Amino acid sequence: MPKLSVRTELLVAFAALAVLAMLPAFTSSKALVDFVIRAAAFGLFATSLNLLVGYGGMVSFGHGLFFGLGAYSFGLLMQRTGLPIPVAFALTLVISALSGLVIGAICVRLKEIYFAFVTLAFQMLLHSLIVSWVPLTGGDQGLLGGIPRPTFFGVNLANHIHLYMTSAVLLVVGLLLMRQIAQSPFGYTLRMIRDNPGRTSFLGVNVFRTKLTAFVLAGVFASAGGTIMSLFVSSAYPDFAYWTMSGEAIFIIMLGGTSTFLGPMVGTVVLLLLNDVVTRITPHYGLVLGIVILLFALGLRKGITDFIVEWFDDRRTARITAADAEEGAR
Amino acid sequence: MLEIKNLVKAFGGLRATDDVSMTFETGSLTAIIGPNGAGKSTFFNLITGALTPNSGSIVLDREELVGLSQMQIVRRGIGRAFQIASIFPSLTVEETLLGAAAADSGQSGSLLGRFPAEGTRGEAERVARMLGLWSKRNVPASNLSHGDQKLLDIALALMLRPKVLLLDEPTAGMGPEERWQMIEKVRQLWELEKITVVFIEHDMDIVFKVAPSIRVLCYGRLLAQGTPDEIRSNPAVIEAYLGTAHGEEAA
Ligand SMILES: Nc1ncnc2c1ncn2[C@@H]1O[C@H](COP(=O)(O)OP(=O)(O)OP(=O)(O)O)[C@@H](O)[C@H]1O
Ligand SMILES: [Mg+2]
């Protein structure tokens, strides 16, 4: 993958933010604004899952736990404590980090399929807790009565455009931070563990600690996505913590590709578009989605952006090999 | 100096390493030979801590290694490359070496700053150049030739700046010409790095030509040791090993 300088990345992020900021001035379409907010929630969620899957080789089936945990923690904090939004948000991230630490300590040592299923089990645990603890969570109905959104620093999240801008900023900042994680020495250590954990530990790396750190960080970013979602719908529903939520994130990264940083973001946009278009023209949304999943999983065996990267890699290898052969011939 | 005394490793009733004692002088180049199943890889596994001996001692520069973890032994300066190259398929050559360098400099957990970690570039380039991998630095390891993957495995071991480098069949699975190139690289790195190198090798022509000192293992025991001339004329070696080895080589 091309290694961009930090400055280039900041520039790209700033440009993206500028475009997003100007968008409402050009269109009065509420659907488009909503789309960006949803893309921010799901984009953070899916990209954080890719930290685990794509970079760490840890396929979690229970990542939705953190999405749901973020939505409920934030929603409940706002409903019950009257804390300012930034404080409640920070607390939400702390709660997710601590949960990630406990759950991760149990899970990350497990081998592939066990890891997948134990993470799933934890997610189902949270889901049943939410459904059954009716006095606190409202059970099946979700958090009742809406989430209060007191104005902070002049930002009023009850205002649609303010919520839109806040989501866009959270998305861009979240992506920048995850990009930094992926490109740090830690991020490369994570790739090494994915490829060959035995050899990595032989190099003196604490494999457990590295994986656990990745698990906690991924959980924190997923919960930020969940928070955006809860603000968007002004509630939180058990579905946010259901296994289908994890499934959706897995599908997104399969669709977009796991080998590029922005693959999950591409996948998010494509899935949301697919979602919006397909539900409009046919009631058989699940059927269409299933076919697309099969096409990618069995037919193509990789995501959209993976193709592009592979093509570049092959060309580069071919070029180097050719240059070498020439040198050898001389 | 690496001193092995009365080393024993039994798998059930099989004594894969049977009371082996030998010394590797600092800066020496030694070949270990022996028929299949003689206990050569087991011997390396004991030295690196991958296996724990039943008894005996392994002393590197006056420090006992038996009882230490694999990691601690790596840190004490025993590096190894594997019989089947153990590398990172999706990382490029350069990323692999820089990753190892980050680990070596204690920066592998750093979330701040960018990869490569500070002060790691020079060493990675030096090692890659020495082993002839520099021109392939941007090739993913999985796209390397078999020989280059073995070289990368050795390069990985070198990134940890070992005092002793153990190479388990560096020429395994290579054609005759490639074997010579490989062993020439090994000899070069031994000369340049001035470290103790021990390699396991099946090809007698290579061993006799390259290694100043040879150790012969057979059924877990040290059958003979000496210079190429001494080994070649050793009756026990001829009887137990050399006769059959050339036959195997042809097969
Ligand atoms: N983990 C193990 N458990 C049981 N037996 C083992 C184990 N490792 C090796 N052995 C046995 O110990 C003996 C020595 O094996 P080792 O791999 O050390 O031989 P080698 O000299 O490296 O052979 P080769 O030339 O085929 O690589 C063999 O009989 C082997 O089957
Ligand atoms: Mg062996």
Side-chain angles (χ1 to χ4, degrees):
Chain A
M1 270 269 59
K3 286 197 190 87
L4 306 176
S5 72
V6 179
R7 195 192 301 167
T8 316
E9 281 173 28
L10 285 172
L11 251 125
V12 169
F14 192 76
L17 205 55
V19 170
L20 286 173
M22 286 187 296
L23 200 62
F26 287 103
T27 166
S28 53
S29 158
K30 184 167 176 303
L32 191 65
V33 167
D34 282 357
F35 187 89
V36 173
I37 300 175
R38 280 155 63 222
F42 279 101
L44 284 175
F45 177 40
T47 306
S48 74
L49 176 64
N50 197 41
L51 276 186
L52 292 181
V53 177
Y55 293 91
M58 294 182 266
V59 182
S60 167
F61 282 177
H63 202 52
L65 179 149
F66 294 102
F67 191 81
L69 188 66
Y72 272 93
S73 303
F74 180 75
L76 284 170
L77 281 169
M78 289 314 294
Q79 284 187 341
R80 311 243 156 186
T81 65
L83 286 168
I85 286 181
V87 178
F89 180 56
L91 267 177
T92 299
L93 300 185
V94 171
I95 290 169
S96 305
L98 292 176
S99 312
L101 199 62
V102 173
I103 297 167
I106 295 167
C107 293
V108 300
R109 267 186 228 273
L110 303 170
K111 291 256 180 303
E112 292 97 23
I113 196 74
Y114 298 99
F115 173 79
F117 279 105
V118 177
T119 50
L120 179 63
F122 274 108
Q123 156 150 41
M124 295 317 283
L125 198 71
L126 178 71
H127 181 257
S128 20
L129 194 73
I130 290 170
V131 171
S132 54
W133 198 348
V134 179
L136 184 73
T137 63
D140 282 332
Q141 303 296 308
L143 289 182
L144 298 173
I147 294 176
R149 285 171 276 189
T151 303
F152 64 96
F153 307 132
V155 178
N156 173 18
L157 293 184
N159 175 314
H160 209 61
I161 297 300
H162 283 205
L163 178 60
Y164 165 85
M165 271 318 295
T166 306
S167 304
V169 169
L170 282 178
L171 173 65
V172 170
V173 171
L175 288 178
L176 270 178
L177 288 174
M178 284 192 270
R179 173 77 183 170
Q180 167 57 30
I181 292 168
Q183 298 306 118
S184 67
F186 171 88
Y188 277 82
T189 305
L190 202 56
R191 291 170 177 81
M192 292 165 82
I193 291 173
R194 170 197 65 199
D195 276 15
N196 191 341
R199 187 71 204 229
T200 313
S201 100
F202 203 69
L203 292 172
V205 171
N206 187 330
V207 171
F208 172 73
R209 198 167 60 199
T210 309
K211 284 176 140 187
L212 183 57
T213 307
F215 193 83
V216 170
L217 290 170
V220 167
F221 286 102
S223 75
T227 305
I228 294 176
M229 201 59 182
S230 73
L231 280 164
F232 178 58
V233 299
S234 189
S235 181
Y237 300 103
D239 271 3
F240 291 177
Y242 201 48
W243 65 266
T244 49
M245 193 53 83
S246 305
E248 214 149 310
I250 290 174
F251 177 49
I252 287 174
I253 63 175
M254 276 171 58
L255 191 65
T258 54
S259 64
T260 56
F261 179 74
L262 286 178
M265 213 47 233
V266 172
T268 301
V269 171
V270 173
L271 181 81
L272 289 180
L273 282 176
L274 205 65
N275 190 352
D276 293 358
V277 172
V278 174
T279 42
R280 204 171 302 155
I281 53 180
T282 160
H284 305 296
Y285 175 63
L287 187 69
V288 174
L289 203 63
I291 291 171
V292 175
I293 292 179
L294 281 179
L295 186 73
F296 272 86
L298 300 176
L300 306 176
R301 286 174 193 278
K302 31 178 118 60
I304 298 165
T305 58
D306 292 337
F307 277 105
I308 303 167
V309 171
E310 218 154 272
W311 185 74
F312 271 109
D313 270 358
D314 284 349
R315 270 180 38 136
R316 191 171 52 182
T317 307
R319 210 170 48 230
I320 293 166
T321 320
D324 255 26
E326 226 167 77
E327 213 168 274
R330 253 185 263 128
Chain B
M1 191 166 68
L2 179 64
E3 279 178 284
I4 287 109
K5 282 211 189 91
N6 306 107
L7 202 63
V8 175
K9 178 67 190 180
F11 296 114
L14 174 81
R15 284 164 89 88
T17 302
D18 192 359
D19 197 22
V20 170
S21 301
M22 63 174 91
T23 301
F24 301 99
E25 294 297 335
T26 303
S28 61
L29 175 64
T30 310
I32 294 185
I33 63 173
N36 292 110
K40 305 180 296 293
S41 293
T42 303
F43 184 56
F44 276 11
N45 285 334
L46 291 170
I47 298 175
T48 55
L51 292 172
T52 314
N54 297 86
S55 62
S57 84
I58 302 165
V59 176
L60 175 66
D61 298 337
R62 290 199 208 86
E63 192 181 1
E64 177 65 57
L65 300 184
V66 173
L68 299 184
S69 72
Q70 278 200 67
M71 256 326 305
Q72 290 168 318
I73 293 174
V74 172
R75 289 257 158 82
R76 297 297 185 281
I78 305 262
R80 106 177 265 189
F82 294 78
Q83 195 164 343
I84 297 163
S86 180
I87 52 172
F88 306 100
S90 67
L91 265 57
T92 66
V93 168
E94 195 178 18
E95 286 167 348
T96 301
L97 299 182
L98 290 169
D104 184 50
S105 61
Q107 299 180 80
S108 60
S110 167
L111 283 160
L112 308 169
R114 289 276 162 146
F115 183 85
E118 230 166 278
T120 54
R121 271 232 152 89
E123 181 66 2
E125 179 174 348
R126 192 187 70 82
V127 169
R129 280 191 191 281
M130 180 169 60
L131 293 178
L133 290 170
W134 186 243
S135 66
K136 291 154 195 149
R137 61 187 174 278
N138 291 324
V139 178
S142 58
N143 290 358
L144 289 175
S145 71
H146 173 77
D148 284 338
Q149 292 188 346
K150 299 275 289 188
L151 281 172
L152 183 57
D153 194 4
I154 296 173
L156 259 174
L158 284 176
M159 289 308 296
L160 301 183
R161 293 167 290 132
K163 295 182 196 162
V164 178
L165 181 61
L166 306 175
L167 305 174
D168 196 345
E169 300 197 31
T171 69
M174 294 182 185
E177 197 176 323
E178 220 185 347
R179 280 171 176 248
W180 281 104
Q181 287 170 4
M182 182 64 168
I183 215 68
E184 185 48 36
K185 291 243 167 67
V186 170
R187 214 188 48 71
Q188 267 174 20
L189 88 83
W190 168 67
E191 270 177 12
L192 287 167
E193 298 289 278
K194 302 187 170 39
I195 56 177
T196 311
V197 175
V198 184
F199 67 98
I200 296 173
E201 176 59 60
H202 278 296
D203 188 321
M204 287 307 133
D205 296 334
I206 287 180
V207 170
F208 287 138
K209 185 109 191 286
V210 174
S213 169
I214 300 170
R215 312 288 152 85
V216 187
L217 285 179
C218 195
Y219 294 117
R221 289 186 153 271
L222 178 61
L223 190 71
Q225 54 182 330
T227 63
D229 284 337
E230 285 163 0
I231 297 297
R232 214 175 309 198
S233 56
N234 185 312
V237 175
I238 294 171
E239 188 188 336
Y241 182 46
L242 286 183
T244 59
H246 281 287
E248 266 168 37
E249 218 54 58

